[in-house]
Amino acid sequence: MNKKILSLLVLFFGVLFVAQAQNDGKIRVKGVVLDEVTHQPIEFANIGILGTVAGVATDMDGRFELVVSERLATYMMRVSAVGYASDEMKLYEARDKGEVQIFLKPMTYGIHEVDVTAESLVLKRLLQNVVNNIGRNYIPRPYNYEGYFEYGVRINDGEKKSKEAIVDIYDSEGYRRSNVEDAFKALNYNFSQVRRSEEMTSATDGLIFFDDIITADIVRNTRNILDLENYRDFKLKSKGKFLYEGDSVQIVTYECLKPSLSNSGTTFVTKYSGEIYVELKNYAVIKNVMRITSSAFNLLGRNLILAGNSPRHEVMATITTNYKKVSSYYFLSGVSMVYTYLDGSDRVKGEMQYQTTKVSVNNTTPIAGRVYFEEVPTDRNFWDRYTIYLEEEE
């Protein structure tokens, strides 16, 4: 019996790639996806070519660049994002027009009056179905991710310092709910390429911060809204339903009434709320948004023990996690994190984004350990942008 292999292949834009795209009859579409009402960028919007597996996702600024074969010129390009009505256009209408602005209309959710106690029980059962179906919906065996990671930090109104990297991730178990120790041992990663905006001037400049991205995968990791043994710690409410890619999606809002290490991943959390988007056909999480306020911050990441004698105070973070389905399984398609905190009298703002650009569930390559400090030489010929296309093999 044939096995379907998930594969996302990334092509990095450079001089050679541009030349090849021009010579091989390629169509290039560059653009930005915006909220029709607020004109704010929409991150992780999907740009797909109907009838094919070609596609790309927007970054934190809502920008994308897609390169496909000329033979697809008459195909429809669909732009979709969770919580928005989709938009479609012919590829040839968007080609070679500089930066195309695409506006998506926010969905109107169907909300009605309900008994609060009964609603809470219904939503608890919904989340229980999510947990029960993780092994069916998500990759159930060892897999590799390859992805793009960007981290930036700005102090007050100063210049933004940033670093970019290609990250290789290996999970020796696949998606299942397990304890924190087992998940930590099973999930490992390293950096294969790095580019930074300026040279390192201190040891702190070389820190990786990637554990926060790993633990934002709430389906794979514990200590979050899907840990139902902590159900009584959360207040659940329905925000309504909407259609996304032809399937009904339920939005559940949650507020943690008693933040703790067991339900938030750190003892420093003082406020914790969010929204989880569940596809009702398969009981799969397709998006989660967490809003967290903490009393302190660790330079190695919010999930590790605080180090040193100079804690960072009053940390406010918004963490958005997206999942996408290709072939048989859903996978982690992207994570964004925006946070601010006070360091003495300075206001620090940090941004992280991660996008999966390749998924391998066959012929996996094991990785030992995790890298917390940048040891990879800086690549000055690093990519500026990247495009993803999907290829399904039998």
Side-chain angles (χ1 to χ4, degrees):
M1 181 174 125
N2 291 332
K3 294 182 179 179
K4 289 187 176 180
I5 302 173
L6 295 176
S7 177
L8 289 150
L9 303 178
V10 60
L11 300 177
F12 303 112
F13 296 129
V15 175
L16 295 178
F17 176 79
V18 171
Q20 183 179 3
Q22 293 173 340
N23 294 332
D24 291 349
K26 300 290 186 180
I27 295 175
R28 171 173 292 174
V29 179
K30 297 178 66 175
V32 59
V33 181
L34 304 169
D35 185 299
E36 185 180 272
V37 176
T38 66
H39 287 200
Q40 292 298 306
I42 301 174
E43 62 185 12
F44 302 123
N46 296 312
I47 296 87
I49 310 304
L50 296 184
T52 77
V53 291
V56 68
T58 60
D59 62 15
M60 286 183 67
D61 298 319
R63 300 184 185 281
F64 70 92
E65 186 166 3
L66 175 68
V67 178
V68 295
S69 172
E70 178 72 36
R71 64 182 177 81
L72 302 179
T74 59
Y75 281 55
M76 294 297 294
M77 181 178 77
R78 173 182 288 170
V79 183
S80 60
V82 176
Y84 293 86
S86 299
D87 189 22
E88 296 181 0
M89 66 183 71
K90 294 283 189 181
L91 257 179
Y92 64 75
E93 295 175 349
R95 65 179 300 175
D96 304 325
K97 290 187 176 181
E99 183 175 86
V100 179
Q101 288 190 334
I102 301 171
F103 293 93
L104 298 185
K105 184 177 181 179
M107 289 285 193
T108 301
Y109 307 130
I111 304 176
H112 53 278
E113 295 295 326
V114 297
D115 178 85
V116 175
T117 301
E119 179 188 55
S120 184
L121 292 174
V122 169
L123 297 178
K124 179 188 176 184
R125 285 196 293 269
L126 174 64
L127 297 182
Q128 182 67 65
N129 282 329
V130 168
V131 175
N132 292 342
N133 284 278
I134 287 175
R136 178 173 66 88
N137 287 326
Y138 300 84
I139 304 170
R141 56 184 184 273
Y143 63 87
N144 285 114
Y145 284 159
E146 181 180 290
Y148 167 82
F149 172 64
E150 181 181 9
Y151 166 74
V153 64
R154 189 191 307 272
I155 300 176
N156 298 324
D157 296 323
E159 186 176 352
K160 179 181 176 180
K161 298 180 180 180
S162 63
K163 69 172 68 176
E164 299 170 279
I166 290 295
V167 187
D168 300 305
I169 305 170
Y170 175 67
D171 187 342
S172 63
E173 296 180 347
Y175 276 80
R176 67 181 184 90
R177 303 294 288 180
S178 59
N179 60 53
V180 175
E181 181 180 3
D182 288 345
F184 185 89
K185 291 179 179 178
L187 280 160
N188 295 307
Y189 59 83
N190 60 40
F191 283 18
S192 59
Q193 297 183 56
V194 174
R195 184 177 73 174
R196 53 172 46 255
S197 60
E198 57 184 44
E199 299 294 333
M200 285 190 292
T201 58
S202 68
T204 301
D205 290 342
L207 295 175
I208 298 300
F209 309 105
F210 197 71
D211 266 17
D212 285 356
I213 297 295
I214 290 289
T215 52
D217 184 351
I218 70 162
V219 177
R220 178 65 181 91
N221 290 272
T222 56
R223 295 180 174 177
N224 52 55
I225 184 60
L226 295 181
D227 288 335
L228 298 183
E229 62 269 23
N230 296 317
Y231 162 70
R232 294 186 181 276
D233 294 341
F234 289 92
K235 179 181 178 181
L236 305 178
K237 290 188 66 177
S238 172
K239 192 177 178 180
K241 300 177 182 178
F242 66 92
L243 284 177
Y244 176 66
E245 299 292 327
D247 293 322
S248 183
V249 175
Q250 171 73 60
I251 308 176
V252 179
T253 66
Y254 56 89
E255 179 184 359
C256 188
L257 304 175
K258 300 178 180 179
S260 65
L261 177 65
S262 64
N263 58 35
S264 68
T266 171
T267 59
F268 302 108
V269 171
T270 57
K271 295 180 182 179
Y272 177 27
S273 62
E275 301 164 358
I276 187 168
Y277 296 66
V278 179
E279 189 181 81
L280 295 179
K281 178 181 178 180
N282 297 314
Y283 295 112
V285 176
I286 59 173
K287 183 177 181 179
N288 183 68
V289 181
M290 292 189 293
R291 299 173 188 89
I292 298 172
T293 301
S294 300
S295 61
F297 179 78
N298 176 16
L299 283 174
L300 289 177
R302 58 177 296 269
N303 297 286
L304 299 178
I305 298 174
L306 189 68
N309 298 318
S310 301
R312 273 62 181 168
H313 297 287
E314 191 63 18
V315 184
M316 291 174 286
T318 299
I319 305 171
T320 304
T321 307
N322 284 266
Y323 300 88
K324 186 176 181 179
K325 187 176 183 181
V326 175
S327 187
S328 302
Y329 300 120
Y330 295 84
F331 65 94
L332 177 69
S333 62
V335 175
S336 72
M337 182 183 304
V338 179
Y339 62 89
T340 61
Y341 63 83
L342 288 175
D343 187 3
S345 61
D346 292 326
R347 169 66 66 179
V348 180
K349 180 180 180 180
E351 297 178 354
M352 298 186 195
Q353 68 167 314
Y354 165 79
Q355 289 188 342
T356 297
T357 54
K358 181 178 180 181
V359 181
S360 299
V361 296
N362 198 18
N363 299 321
T364 56
T365 303
I367 295 172
R370 299 183 178 190
V371 177
Y372 292 106
F373 189 82
E374 180 185 319
E375 296 179 347
V376 180
T378 299
D379 184 353
R380 298 186 181 277
N381 296 317
F382 202 81
W383 63 95
D384 290 321
R385 291 265 171 205
Y386 57 90
T387 292
I388 306 165
Y389 69 88
L390 318 180
E391 181 178 291
E392 182 178 336
E393 300 176 2
E394 293 296 330

